[in-house]
Amino acid sequence: MSNGVAALVPAVLLAVSLVMGCRAEPEPPMRIGTTFWPSNELLFLAQENGWLNPSEFRLVEFVDDGEVMRAIRNNAVAAAWLSMDEVLAVAQSGVVDPVILFVSDESHGGDAVVAHPDLTTPADLKDRRVAVQIDSVSAYLLDRALRQAGLSVADVRLVNLPPYRHLAAFRRREVDAVVTSEPVRSQIIEAGGVELFSTVSTPFDILRALVMRRDYLESHPQQADTLCAAWQRAIVEMRSSEKARSWIAGRVGTSVEGLDRMLERVRVLSLAESREWLGVPKPKLLATLARLQTELLNAGLLPTATPLEPMFRWPSALESVCRG
Amino acid sequence: MAFPFPSRRVMQSLRFRLPLFLTLYCGVVGLVLFPVANEVQEAAFERDFERTELVRATEIQSRTERAAERNELPIAQREFGELAVFEEIRAAVFVAPDNRVVLSSRRDWIDRPLDLAALGLAEAERPRLEEVMQRVRASGRTESLFSLDRDRLTFVLPATVPVGPGELSATRGALILLVHDLSLSKAVNRQRLLRQFGVGAVAVFLAVVGLGISLHALVTRRIERLHHAMGRFAAGAPLAPDDAGSYDAPVRGHDEIGELHRRFNDIAATVGREITVRRHAEDALRESEERFRSAMHHSPIGMALVSLGGEYIEVNPALCAIVGYSAEELRTTHLEAVTHPDDRAGDRTAIERMLKREVETIRRVKRYRHKDGRLRWVQVNSSLVLDDQGEPRYFVSQIQDITERKRADEDLQHANRALQTISSCNQVLVHATDESVLLREICQVMVRDGRYRMAWVGFADAGAEPRVQAVALPADQADAPARTAWAHHGGDQMAAAIRSGEGAVCHDFRAVTTGGVWRDEAVRLGYRSCIALPLLGDGRAFGALALCSSEAEAFDVAEAALLKELADDIAFGIVALRTRANQRQAEEALRTANERYARQEAALTNLTRSYVGGPEEFIDIVRSITEVVAETLSVAFVGVWRHDESGSTTRCQDLFQWPEAVHEDGLSLEEDACPAYFRALANAEVLAVTDALSDARTAELAAWVVMPKRVTSMMCVPIRSGGTTIGFLSCKHIGQLRRWMPDEQAFALTVANLLSTLIAQADRQRLEEQLRQAQKLEAIGRLAGGIAHDFNNILTVILGRSEEVGADPRVPGELRDAVSDLTQNAQRATALTRQLLAFSRRQAIEVRDVDLNGVVANVTRLLHRVLGEDIVVTFTYAEQALAVRADPGMLEQVVLNLAVNARDAMPTGGRLTIDTALVEASGPHASPAAPNRTWACLRVIDNGVGIAPEHLPHIFEPFFTTKDVGKGTGLGLATTYGIVQQHGGWIEVDSHVGRGTEFRVYFPRVAVQPRTQAPASEPAPAPRGQETILVVEDEAGVRALVIRLLQGLGYRLLQAQSGPHAIEVWKEHGDEVDLLITDIVMPDGMNGVQLAERLRRERPSLKVIFTSGYLADLSHEDVSRHHSDAYIAKPFSLADLARLVRRTLDGGEPVGTPVSRDA
C-alpha cells in the first residue's frame, strides 16, 4: 500500500461512515386532503399521469369538507382544499397557521340550494326542513339565500347531513331542500330537484384554494413547487385532452358533457388567474376574505375575527412557481 | 494544491501504523456486522408491524360489518377514505362476494371489479393473493401475505354481509383487503441503524487519533528531536538559535529517552564552544568592511566616483534618488547621459581644467535629466583623486539637489504676476455693468497683464449632450472661437473643472497623451500648459475660466490658488449682475400681473352686465364673452361647450380664435372618445393643464385638437347649474408651455359661473317662447279645424256627387271631363283639409305601438326619390328599439315633411342627417307636460340656408311660407306640428342663417314591443246587401248622398237629421234596423256616440258605423267605449263606405279606430 492510499484509508472510512450516518431519514409522503369536488380531481389526474409521485404525495379522499378541516387542524394532512369560509374557520381555530398556495376554482353555480318542485323561491323555505352540513360553505350559502328572501336561519328547520347523504335524504323526502354542491347538485337536479339559489347570485363569494400548513411549507418548499406545477399541467391537460376529461368524468360519475356542465358552474382557475387573486403587495383576495369574514361574523357563522394578511405571507425565500 | 500526505518517515512511524491498523480492523468488522444487524432488525420490525396492524385490521373489519348490517356503508366509506392518511396503508378495499368493490380508499374503484394491479401489487404477487383470498373466503380466517421482497404486507379479512332475502344466516364471502407498504418504515429503520454505525465509526476514529497523538508526544517526537539535534551537531549548526554556544537539545524527561538525550548534550557541549569562538572573529572582520562601505551609502547628499573618461564607478543611494536610476544602471552609464544637453559642454570644460591641474575642485550648478524625464537642479562639487604616484585615478563628486529652491524662486515670480492680474481684474469687476462686457474685459486683462497666451470663459450648457459654450474671449483674439472649438466637446481641463467644481491643470501638453483634439490643437498652437478654474454659483459650477500659457509648468500651486480666488470673484460678479437683472425682470413681471388683474376686473365688470334676450342674443353674448376671455387671458382659442340632452355629446356653442377674431360653432365632442378628460372635468373646479400633450387628463385630445391646433396648454372650467355639469369653458394656449396663474383660473371660474347664469336665463326664455308659440298655434288650430270640418261635409257631397255623375253612362263625354276636373280639385281640397285637420290635431289617427327606427327605415327609399341626388342623406338609428304609440303613417309624414323642408333649404344640394335616439329628457329640455320621462327623439339636420330669426316664431303657422308663390302650401311644418302634438310629443328647432337647421321631434316612449305593420289588402268591388240601415246625419247633402249610394246597393234605408230625431225613428222601426250609420258631431244636444249608447241600451248587439269630419268633441271615454265600432272619416269614397258597411254587417274587424287628440 502506498503512502497516500494508506493515509487516506482512515479518512475515507470516517467520511463514508459520516455520510451514511448523517443522511436524512426518508420522508413520508405529503398528505393532501381532498373532497368530492370537480377541481380536486385535477390532482388525481396529475398523479395518474405521473406528475405527482405517489411516494411523495398522498391524496386522501375525505367525504366532506368538515373532515378535511378536522384533518388539517389535527395535522393529519399537510395541505387541504378549502373554501374561503373554511379557510377562515381553520385560521380562527388558532391551531393551524394556513398559507394559501393557490386559488383553485370559483363556484359559479356549483354550490346551490336545491328543493323539491313544490318550492319555487327561497322564501318558500320558511318552516321547511333543509339539509345542510353545519360549519361548511353550505351553511354560508344557506344564510345568503335566506337573507335574500328576508328570512333567517331561525325560520327554517335545519337538518345536519353530510353531502354523501344529501341525495338519499332528498329522494326519500326526509328533507324539503338541500344545500349542496357539485357533483351531488347535478344528481339531485336529475332526480327532480329545482334550484332556488346558487352561487351564480354571489359571484366571487365561494372560492376554493389549496391551503398548506406554514410549518410544512417552510420545511418542504420544493414539494409545494412541484404541487403547483402539477396543478398547472393538469389544467392544461384537462382543457386540451378529451381523454383527460373522460378520465375525470369517470371519477366524478358523469359523462364528459356532464363534466363540462359541471365545469361551467365550477370555474377552474389557472395559476396565472390565481396569481391575480394573490398578487402582491395587496392581494385582491384579501378584500374578498375581509368582506366574507364580516358577513360570517354578522351571521354568527364565525365566532371571532382573525388576521388575514398572514395567509398571504409566504416565507420570503420560497417565492416560486405558485406565486410567479 | 497537493494533498498533504504524511512523509514516508511519518508513515513508517509507530504513531501512524498502530492507529491505521486499528482503523482497518474496525472498518472490516463494521462492514461484516451491518447487513446482519439490518436483517435482524427488519425481521423484528415485520413481526411487530404484523401484530399491531392485525389489531387495526380487525377493528376495521368489525366496524365495516356493523355498518353493513345497519345499511350505513357510506359511513364506513368515510373511514376507508381516511385510511389513506396512514403512511403505511397503501390501499383499503371492501370487496363483495362477487369481487365488486363496495368501499375503498379510492373513490373511483367503487362499484368496479377488484383490480389487484391498481392496489400496487406486482404481477407475480397477484396469483398468490388470489389464492389467499380464496382460502379466506373458504375458511373465514384472517390471513396476511408478505410480498416476495417483503415490502408489502396484505391483510385479507373475511367480512359478513347482511342477510339477503330468503336467507337464514349471514353470508360470508365479502373480504376486506388492507395493503400495507413497509418500504418507507424499513428505509427509516435502515437509516437509523446506519446512523448508529456512523456514531460508532466516529468513536473509533477519535480513539485511534488519540492513540496516535499519545504515541507522538511520548515516543516519536522526542526521538525525532534527538535525531534532529544529532544531525545538526554533525553538520556544525547550532542546536537551538536562542541558546548561543549551547548544544542542549530541547528534550526533557527522566525516562529512557530523556537519559539518552542528556548523554548526548554532554558530548556536544565541549565541541560546540570551540566552534563559537571562531565564528565571532569572522563576524568582527565582516562588520569593519560594512562600516566603511556604508559611510558613502548613507550620506544624505549624492556621492559618486567617476572615472577619468566620465563613467560612473560607484554611486550612493542619494545620487540614485536624484537621477532616478539604480546604482547598477549608473555604473554602466556615462556622466553625460544624465546631464541636461545644455550643461554638457560646461561639464567637459570643468573636467579638462581639473585634469590640467588648473583647479583642484570644481563647483557647478547644473541640471540632471531624471529617469522619468523631469529636470533636477543640482550643485556639484568635484575633486580629482590621485594615486600614490600622483597620477589621476578618478573623480570624487558630491551632488546636492537644489530643485526645490529653484522652484520656489519661480513660484514667487508667478505669484507676483497673478496678483497683478487680480488687481487689474478687480478694477474691471468694480466698474462692470454688463456680464458679456465684464467677461470680455477680464479675458483681455488676463492676456495683457497676466501675459498668458490665451484666456477665455465658457458656460456649461446642460442640454441633452452637455457642452461648454464659449461666451467671452479677449478682444484682440476675435478669431479665437475657431481655434477653441475643441473646448465645446468636453474632455479638456475646462470640462473637467465644470464637472468637478475644482480647478484642473495640464502642466505640459507635450508630456501627456490624453486630451484628444484639444491636446493636439493646443500643441499645434504652441500652448504648453493650461489651467481651468470653475465659476461657482449656488454651489455648482455654471462655467469656467481657462488660461493657457506657452510655458510648461506655468501654473504652480500658489498661482493656481490666487487664480482660483480670482475666478471666485468673477463668479461673484456674474451672479451679482444676474441678480440685478432678475430683480429688474421681477419688477417687470409684477407690473404685468397688475395690468392683467386690471384687465380681468374690467372684463368681468362688462360681462356681468350681459343680458340675454332671444336665442340670437344669447349667441351674441356668448361670442362677446369668448372674445373678452381670449383677449383678457391672451389665449388662442376660447370655447363655450354645452352637453346635449343625453350627456354623451358636447356641442360647441362658440369657439373664438384670437387674434384672428374668427368665430366657429357646430363642433361636437363625444364623451366616449375622451373619458379621462370628461372625468377630470367632472371632478375639477378648474382643470388647468400646463402640458396638454403629456398630461393624462388631456392626452386623449392630442389627435383631435392639441396637435392639429398646436395647443400647448389648456384651462377648462366646468359650467354647472344646480350641481349638474351642463358644459364647460375651454381656453387653449399655443406657443411655449404656460402655467396658469391663480388669478387667471379665478377669472375663468367667474366667467363659467356667469355663463351658467346666462344659459339658465336663455333656457327659461326659450321655454316661455315655446309656451307662447304653442298657445298661438292652438288657437289657430281650433280655427282651422272648424273650417276643415265644414269643408269635409261639403267635400263629401261634392266628391260623392261627382263620383255618381262620373259613373253614369248617360253623361256626355265633354261633361264627363268637367266632372273629372271637378273631382280632382275636390280631392286636392280634401288633401288640404286633411292637412288642416292634422295641424289642428283633429284628424282621426290609427294608433298602435310602433318602432320609430322602423318608421324611419320605411321612408328611406321614398326619401332618396324625393330628395334627389344632390343631397347626401345619412341615417343613424338608436341601438335600442324606440317604441312609441302612434299612427305609423303620420310618423312617416312627419319624417317626409321635415326632409322636404330640408331639401327646399338646400337648393344646390347639401347634407341631410336623420337620426333617432333615446333621450332622458329632464331639466331645461323636459316637456312642460311630462318632465322626467324617456322620449324617442327624431332629429333632422341640414346644412342649408337656415331660417331667419324673425321667421322662426312663425314656421309652424299654417300657410306661412317663405317660398315663392306656387312652390309651397305653407302647411308642411304646420301639419308636422299638429301630428306631433296629437301624439303627445313636442318639437324643437335650432337654426342659423347660412349654416343650417336642426329639427328635434320628441315622442313619448312606451315600454311595450312594437308590432309589425300588416300589409294593406287590395281594394275589392263595392259589395251589396239587403239589410236595413239607419243613417243619422245633420248635413242634408251628405245624408242624401249616403242614402242614395246604399239604396243603389240594395239596402233598405231609414234616415234622421239629429240624435233625437233618430230615437223617434228607432221607436217605430227599431226592430228592423241592422246597422246604425251616424255622424259623430251633431246639434240638438246629442252627438253620434251618445246616440249609439242610447240605442244599445235597448239592443246591445246593434252594429254602428261612425262618420266625422273631425273629432273635436269626442272625448277619450267615448272612444274607449266604442273602440270596437267602425269608423270612416269624411270625406270618404262611396266604395270605401260600401265595403265598410258590408264588413260591419258581416261581423268583421273595424277598419279604423277613432282617437282623440288626447290619446
Side-chain angles (χ1 to χ4, degrees):
Chain A
M1 185 184 291
S2 69
N3 285 355
V5 175
L8 281 176
V9 167
V12 169
L13 282 175
L14 179 64
V16 169
S17 303
L18 289 177
V19 168
M20 298 296 289
C22 292
R23 275 197 316 174
E25 291 179 5
E27 282 272 349
M30 172 183 174
R31 287 170 296 232
I32 305 162
T34 72
T35 54
F36 199 22
W37 180 250
S39 63
N40 286 195
E41 300 303 325
L42 286 174
L43 280 195
F44 288 94
L45 176 66
Q47 197 155 61
E48 177 74 10
N49 287 348
W51 305 327
L52 287 179
N53 189 344
S55 64
E56 295 179 17
F57 297 91
R58 176 78 60 86
L59 303 176
V60 185
E61 300 181 32
F62 293 93
V63 293
D64 57 54
D65 292 346
E67 296 295 321
V68 179
M69 291 165 65
R70 190 169 60 199
I72 194 167
R73 272 201 297 260
N74 295 344
N75 203 10
V77 295
W81 245 290
L82 298 174
S83 60
M84 289 302 120
D85 58 315
E86 291 161 355
V87 173
L88 290 172
V90 166
Q92 190 272 332
S93 69
V95 180
V96 183
D97 186 4
V99 178
I100 297 177
L101 214 57
F102 57 80
V103 182
S104 62
D105 58 80
E106 174 201 345
S107 176
H108 190 71
D111 298 83
V113 181
V114 188
H116 284 283
D118 51 336
L119 276 63
T120 55
T121 67
D124 296 338
L125 293 174
K126 187 172 174 58
D127 298 330
R128 298 294 190 131
R129 294 162 302 173
V130 181
V132 61
Q133 187 183 10
I134 307 297
D135 290 336
S136 71
V137 65
S138 301
Y140 169 69
L141 187 69
L142 176 63
D143 179 66
R144 290 292 302 265
L146 292 175
R147 275 196 287 131
Q148 191 192 58
L151 302 176
S152 71
V153 176
D155 294 323
V156 298
R157 291 155 58 193
L158 294 180
V159 181
N160 186 12
L161 277 183
Y164 62 83
R165 295 185 60 187
H166 284 177
L167 180 60
F170 183 85
R171 280 184 170 147
R172 290 197 292 268
R173 190 75 198 222
E174 292 171 357
V175 292
D176 298 302
V178 173
V179 188
T180 189
S181 56
E182 291 292 357
V184 178
R185 173 200 161 280
S186 294
Q187 293 164 358
I188 294 179
I189 294 279
E190 286 174 11
V194 293
E195 191 172 279
L196 301 186
F197 186 83
S198 76
T199 44
V200 172
S201 307
T202 59
F204 308 126
D205 261 12
I206 299 188
L207 296 162
R208 282 178 171 81
L210 188 64
V211 173
M212 188 174 277
R213 299 173 64 93
R214 180 177 297 281
D215 52 351
Y216 195 87
L217 175 61
E218 288 174 346
S219 58
H220 299 77
Q222 188 58 42
Q223 281 181 288
D225 231 18
T226 306
L227 194 60
C228 290
W231 165 256
Q232 182 61 28
R233 286 187 68 174
I235 289 177
V236 174
E237 181 74 5
M238 180 190 71
R239 288 176 179 169
S240 60
S241 165
E242 181 79 14
K243 184 182 171 190
R245 284 202 299 282
S246 173
W247 188 87
I248 294 174
R251 272 190 57 88
V252 299
T254 184
S255 61
V256 173
E257 292 75 19
L259 177 68
D260 289 343
R261 284 194 296 276
M262 274 185 206
L263 291 176
E264 287 173 5
R265 290 185 287 272
V266 181
R267 204 169 71 81
V268 177
L269 305 180
S270 66
L271 274 188
E273 291 169 312
S274 166
R275 286 179 200 126
E276 289 180 9
W277 282 100
L278 303 178
V280 290
K282 192 163 180 62
K284 197 166 66 170
L285 185 59
L286 185 61
T288 304
L289 268 180
R291 179 174 54 78
L292 183 64
Q293 179 167 260
T294 304
E295 290 186 6
L296 291 174
L297 288 168
N298 293 339
L301 296 175
L302 203 64
T304 57
T306 187
L308 304 177
E309 289 81 3
M311 299 178 202
F312 299 89
R313 199 161 51 234
W314 271 43
S316 59
L318 302 185
E319 299 295 337
S320 58
V321 174
C322 307
R323 295 295 174 103
Chain B
M1 189 178 80
F3 185 80
F5 287 115
S7 65
R8 173 177 290 277
R9 192 168 53 80
V10 173
M11 295 287 297
Q12 291 176 347
S13 68
L14 194 60
R15 66 185 171 194
F16 185 78
R17 290 201 159 195
L18 186 56
L20 177 63
F21 174 77
L22 285 174
T23 303
L24 291 174
Y25 175 77
C26 291
V28 171
V29 170
L31 288 174
V32 172
L33 276 184
F34 179 76
V36 176
N38 184 44
E39 195 168 334
V40 170
Q41 175 186 264
E42 283 194 355
F45 169 74
E46 287 171 2
R47 281 195 307 278
D48 291 346
F49 185 83
E50 186 174 8
R51 192 168 57 246
T52 54
E53 284 302 305
L54 182 59
V55 174
R56 174 152 63 182
T58 307
E59 290 173 355
I60 294 170
Q61 176 193 29
S62 171
R63 285 197 294 270
T64 306
E65 284 180 343
R66 279 204 300 275
E69 287 167 6
R70 295 173 188 167
N71 199 21
E72 291 179 346
L73 283 178
I75 296 176
Q77 172 57 35
R78 169 187 295 205
E79 185 172 12
F80 271 69
E82 292 177 7
L83 282 174
V85 168
F86 297 103
E87 294 162 14
E88 301 85 1
I89 294 184
R90 176 66 183 260
V93 290
F94 176 76
V95 187
D98 59 356
N99 254 9
R100 182 179 52 83
V101 175
V102 178
L103 304 172
S104 169
S105 56
R106 282 284 295 261
R107 193 183 308 115
D108 48 340
W109 294 344
I110 297 173
D111 285 338
R112 295 180 183 176
L114 177 63
D115 181 2
L116 295 181
L119 299 182
L121 295 172
E123 191 171 353
E125 308 286 351
R126 292 173 211 159
R128 296 175 61 221
L129 182 59
E130 286 169 353
E131 273 181 38
V132 172
M133 289 167 63
Q134 285 177 2
R135 277 204 308 274
V136 171
R137 279 196 171 110
S139 66
R141 289 177 53 193
T142 298
E143 287 195 29
S144 60
L145 175 67
F146 270 101
S147 63
L148 294 175
D149 59 5
R150 301 195 69 77
D151 276 351
R152 296 279 165 86
L153 172 60
T154 306
F155 286 102
V156 183
L157 300 100
T160 304
V161 296
V163 179
E167 294 180 4
L168 291 176
S169 63
T171 304
R172 295 186 186 278
L175 296 175
I176 295 173
L177 271 65
L178 293 175
V179 183
H180 295 78
D181 187 348
L182 280 60
S183 59
L184 179 67
S185 300
K186 284 184 176 180
V188 171
N189 289 337
R190 195 176 305 122
Q191 183 59 34
R192 287 174 183 164
L193 187 62
L194 265 175
R195 188 173 299 154
Q196 292 168 3
F197 270 74
V199 171
V202 171
V204 168
F205 183 80
L206 292 176
V208 298
V209 168
L211 178 62
I213 292 171
S214 302
L215 284 172
H216 174 73
L218 295 176
V219 179
T220 314
R221 187 177 62 171
R222 297 167 72 195
I223 291 176
E224 278 184 351
R225 284 181 178 174
L226 182 57
H227 182 261
H228 184 66
M230 291 172 73
R232 291 178 61 82
F233 176 69
L239 294 183
D242 58 343
D243 191 8
S246 171
Y247 286 87
D248 191 3
V251 178
R252 301 288 183 269
H254 297 281
D255 55 7
E256 295 84 348
I257 298 172
E259 191 60 30
L260 183 61
H261 158 256
R262 269 186 289 278
R263 295 293 178 202
F264 167 75
N265 276 351
D266 291 343
I267 295 168
T270 307
V271 179
R273 276 191 292 273
E274 292 179 3
I275 293 172
T276 304
V277 169
R278 193 178 66 222
R279 285 182 180 169
H280 285 176
E282 290 172 356
D283 291 344
L285 180 61
R286 197 162 47 246
E287 283 180 5
S288 174
E289 291 174 349
E290 286 292 326
R291 223 177 284 124
F292 174 75
R293 191 183 302 275
S294 67
M296 179 178 175
H297 281 267
H298 289 88
S299 171
I301 61 171
M303 293 182 68
L305 304 181
V306 182
S307 72
L308 300 179
E311 290 87 12
Y312 285 108
I313 300 170
E314 188 60 65
V315 296
N316 70 345
L319 179 58
C320 294
I322 293 171
V323 296
Y325 293 96
S326 67
E328 287 74 21
E329 289 173 327
L330 284 177
R331 283 190 203 105
T332 60
T333 304
H334 195 275
L335 174 63
E336 289 190 353
V338 296
T339 303
H340 192 278
D342 297 343
D343 296 334
R344 287 171 189 166
D347 277 359
R348 289 190 209 109
T349 304
I351 290 172
E352 284 175 7
R353 290 183 66 196
M354 277 201 292
L355 289 175
K356 290 176 182 175
R357 310 288 174 85
E358 293 174 3
V359 292
E360 291 183 355
T361 304
I362 291 174
R363 173 178 292 185
R364 273 177 54 74
V365 174
K366 57 179 280 191
R367 287 166 290 182
Y368 276 162
R369 173 72 69 186
H370 192 271
K371 189 178 181 179
D372 63 8
R374 287 181 290 128
L375 287 179
R376 309 297 296 179
W377 286 93
V378 293
Q379 179 175 312
V380 180
N381 294 324
S382 296
S383 302
L384 184 62
V385 177
L386 306 177
D387 61 10
D388 295 342
Q389 285 76 36
E391 291 297 319
R393 285 187 63 192
Y394 52 82
F395 298 102
V396 176
S397 298
Q398 294 177 326
I399 304 101
Q400 189 170 2
D401 190 343
I402 59 169
T403 306
E404 294 304 322
R405 195 171 70 207
K406 293 283 286 183
R407 187 166 293 160
D409 292 343
E410 291 176 0
D411 289 350
L412 187 59
Q413 291 176 9
H414 289 157
N416 287 337
R417 184 176 65 179
L419 285 171
Q420 186 178 355
T421 306
I422 291 171
S423 174
S424 301
C425 288
N426 282 335
Q427 291 294 321
V428 174
L429 280 169
V430 167
H431 298 99
T433 57
D434 181 81
E435 183 179 325
S436 59
V437 173
L438 166 69
L439 296 176
R440 194 161 54 247
E441 290 188 2
I442 289 287
C443 293
Q444 188 74 30
V445 167
M446 287 288 181
V447 174
R448 188 188 62 220
D449 296 348
R451 293 187 296 282
Y452 298 110
R453 274 289 299 277
M454 210 276 282
W456 66 287
V457 176
F459 280 174
D461 180 6
E465 181 187 357
R467 293 157 57 93
V468 178
Q469 188 69 40
V471 294
L473 292 154
D476 57 350
Q477 295 191 6
D479 58 340
R483 289 187 279 117
T484 56
W486 40 264
H488 300 179
H489 301 287
D492 57 357
Q493 285 70 36
M494 177 73 98
I498 291 176
R499 276 198 300 272
S500 64
E502 302 288 342
V505 181
C506 176
H507 291 292
D508 190 351
F509 285 118
R510 295 183 189 176
V512 298
T513 56
T514 58
V517 291
W518 155 230
R519 184 256 176 202
D520 298 341
E521 182 75 359
V523 170
R524 192 181 68 76
L525 294 171
Y527 302 158
R528 290 293 300 275
S529 56
C530 173
I531 186 170
L533 300 151
L535 300 175
L536 301 171
D538 292 336
R540 64 177 186 84
F542 61 86
L545 165 67
L547 303 170
C548 296
S549 172
S550 55
E551 298 172 8
E553 308 282 349
F555 303 98
D556 56 37
V557 175
E559 185 176 3
L562 289 170
L563 290 172
K564 177 71 170 59
E565 290 181 12
L566 174 59
D568 291 343
D569 290 344
I570 294 172
F572 178 78
I574 293 171
V575 171
L577 287 174
R578 288 180 178 179
T579 304
R580 283 201 290 275
N582 288 340
Q583 282 176 345
R584 284 197 296 273
Q585 285 179 358
E587 289 167 3
E588 179 64 19
L590 182 59
R591 190 183 57 76
T592 307
N594 286 334
E595 289 176 3
R596 203 167 62 233
Y597 294 153
R599 270 206 316 274
Q600 291 170 9
E601 191 175 353
L604 286 173
T605 305
N606 288 333
L607 292 178
T608 48
R609 293 181 189 140
S610 301
Y611 170 78
V612 178
E616 287 304 314
E617 287 83 348
F618 172 73
I619 291 300
D620 291 342
I621 290 293
V622 169
R623 287 183 174 187
S624 67
I625 287 174
T626 54
E627 289 169 6
V628 168
V629 171
E631 192 171 353
T632 306
L633 296 180
S634 297
V635 290
F637 300 97
V638 175
V640 175
W641 298 73
R642 193 162 175 204
H643 300 320
D644 68 359
E645 292 82 353
S646 64
S648 62
T649 304
T650 304
R651 298 186 188 284
C652 180
Q653 304 294 309
D654 183 50
L655 178 65
F656 179 63
Q657 189 172 347
W658 188 76
E660 290 81 357
V662 175
H663 285 279
E664 190 179 353
D665 62 6
L667 303 173
S668 65
L669 182 60
E670 297 295 331
E671 184 171 356
D672 291 345
C674 31
Y677 174 62
F678 277 94
R679 223 173 15 253
L681 266 180
N683 296 328
E685 190 173 39
V686 177
L687 185 62
V689 177
T690 300
D691 187 353
L693 197 58
S694 62
D695 196 302
R697 297 171 296 178
T698 54
E700 296 163 340
L701 303 174
W704 181 71
V705 64
V706 175
M707 292 175 69
K709 302 279 189 186
R710 291 181 297 168
V711 173
T712 51
S713 306
M714 290 179 63
M715 176 168 63
C716 301
V717 188
I719 301 172
R720 295 194 170 98
S721 174
T724 305
T725 302
I726 58 173
F728 60 89
L729 169 72
S730 74
C731 305
K732 300 184 181 72
H733 175 74
I734 61 175
Q736 289 189 337
L737 295 180
R738 175 171 178 174
R739 196 167 66 82
W740 301 96
M741 297 291 112
D743 63 282
E744 293 171 334
Q745 296 184 27
F747 173 73
L749 186 60
T750 307
V751 173
N753 292 334
L754 177 64
L755 281 167
S756 171
T757 306
L758 293 175
I759 289 170
Q761 277 183 7
D763 286 342
R764 189 171 62 249
Q765 286 166 354
R766 182 175 62 83
L767 289 175
E768 289 172 358
E769 182 60 28
Q770 284 179 355
L771 184 61
R772 279 197 298 274
Q773 186 68 7
Q775 288 170 342
K776 185 171 77 178
L777 292 176
E778 177 70 20
I780 297 172
R782 284 187 175 278
L783 176 64
I787 295 171
H789 173 244
D790 292 338
F791 264 63
N792 272 340
N793 284 329
I794 297 166
L795 287 170
T796 300
V797 176
I798 295 173
L799 277 172
R801 297 296 290 169
S802 303
E803 205 172 328
E804 279 182 331
V805 173
D808 191 341
R810 296 169 298 178
V811 175
E814 60 274 18
L815 192 56
R816 194 183 300 275
D817 292 341
V819 170
S820 176
D821 290 343
L822 183 66
T823 305
Q824 286 178 5
N825 282 288
Q827 285 171 340
R828 285 183 56 200
T830 301
L832 283 172
T833 311
R834 283 191 192 282
Q835 286 185 315
L836 274 177
L837 281 171
F839 164 72
S840 60
R841 295 171 281 145
R842 282 165 176 79
Q843 69 171 339
I845 57 175
E846 181 186 357
V847 296
R848 61 170 182 269
D849 297 331
V850 295
D851 182 8
L852 182 60
N853 290 333
V855 171
V856 175
N858 281 342
V859 295
T860 304
R861 189 181 302 170
L862 179 62
L863 279 182
H864 284 298
R865 199 164 57 241
V866 170
L867 297 176
E869 296 177 351
D870 294 337
I871 295 174
V872 178
V873 191
T874 306
F875 295 94
T876 306
Y877 300 101
E879 291 181 359
Q880 61 277 63
L882 299 176
V884 295
R885 186 156 295 156
D887 184 326
M890 295 293 176
L891 293 193
E892 289 175 4
Q893 188 177 351
V894 167
V895 178
L896 204 58
N897 285 355
L898 293 176
V900 169
N901 189 68
R903 179 199 64 187
D904 295 341
M906 299 184 286
T908 57
R911 176 175 295 279
L912 174 65
T913 303
I914 299 177
D915 62 34
T916 61
L918 178 66
V919 175
E920 301 281 346
S922 62
H925 296 282
S927 162
N932 300 320
R933 63 175 296 182
T934 56
W935 303 86
C937 177
L938 168 71
R939 292 198 309 160
V940 180
I941 307 165
D942 67 67
N943 60 350
V945 297
I947 303 169
E950 63 271 22
H951 293 157
L952 266 179
H954 308 290
I955 58 173
F956 296 121
E957 294 173 7
F959 306 113
F960 176 84
T961 178
T962 58
K963 299 170 189 171
D964 295 339
V965 175
K967 289 193 174 179
T969 61
L971 284 172
L973 291 180
T975 306
T976 301
Y977 180 86
I979 292 172
V980 172
Q981 290 283 309
Q982 196 167 6
H983 283 80
W986 84 100
I987 186 166
E988 293 178 348
V989 57
D990 286 333
S991 184
H992 301 281
V993 174
R995 287 201 298 274
T997 305
E998 174 179 334
F999 283 94
R1000 294 185 296 278
V1001 183
Y1002 298 86
F1003 294 105
R1005 184 166 177 257
V1006 294
V1008 298
Q1009 291 296 321
R1011 287 180 299 179
T1012 54
Q1013 189 172 357
S1017 57
E1018 289 295 323
R1024 303 174 65 82
Q1026 297 176 339
E1027 291 87 345
T1028 301
I1029 301 171
L1030 170 58
V1031 177
V1032 186
E1033 171 61 62
D1034 57 330
E1035 285 291 331
V1038 177
R1039 188 171 67 243
L1041 181 70
V1042 172
I1043 288 173
R1044 192 160 48 250
L1045 164 72
L1046 294 177
Q1047 280 177 338
L1049 293 174
Y1051 296 102
R1052 286 185 60 226
L1053 271 300
L1054 298 171
Q1055 58 178 305
Q1057 70 270 23
S1058 65
H1061 184 203
I1063 290 172
E1064 291 175 10
V1065 175
W1066 177 266
K1067 285 177 182 170
E1068 287 186 34
H1069 306 284
D1071 295 339
E1072 303 164 30
V1073 174
D1074 298 306
L1075 172 68
L1076 169 67
I1077 297 178
T1078 174
D1079 190 10
I1080 292 175
V1081 184
M1082 289 187 298
D1084 296 337
M1086 178 178 282
N1087 63 30
V1089 175
Q1090 292 165 333
L1091 172 64
E1093 285 177 355
R1094 166 72 180 76
L1095 299 185
R1096 274 188 173 152
R1097 279 204 290 272
E1098 296 183 18
R1099 196 201 305 166
S1101 61
L1102 176 64
K1103 292 173 178 172
V1104 180
I1105 292 176
F1106 292 107
T1107 68
S1108 178
Y1110 74 114
L1111 302 179
D1113 301 317
L1114 191 62
S1115 70
H1116 185 77
E1117 290 72 20
D1118 293 338
V1119 173
S1120 300
R1121 279 198 298 275
H1122 298 277
H1123 187 79
S1124 59
D1125 292 325
Y1127 167 81
I1128 188 164
K1130 297 176 190 173
F1132 44 75
S1133 74
L1134 299 179
D1136 287 344
L1137 178 63
R1139 280 193 289 275
L1140 178 61
V1141 166
R1142 186 65 261 160
R1143 190 159 49 242
T1144 306
L1145 285 168
D1146 293 341
E1149 290 289 322
V1151 292
T1153 301
V1155 178
S1156 79
R1157 65 179 180 277
D1158 302 323

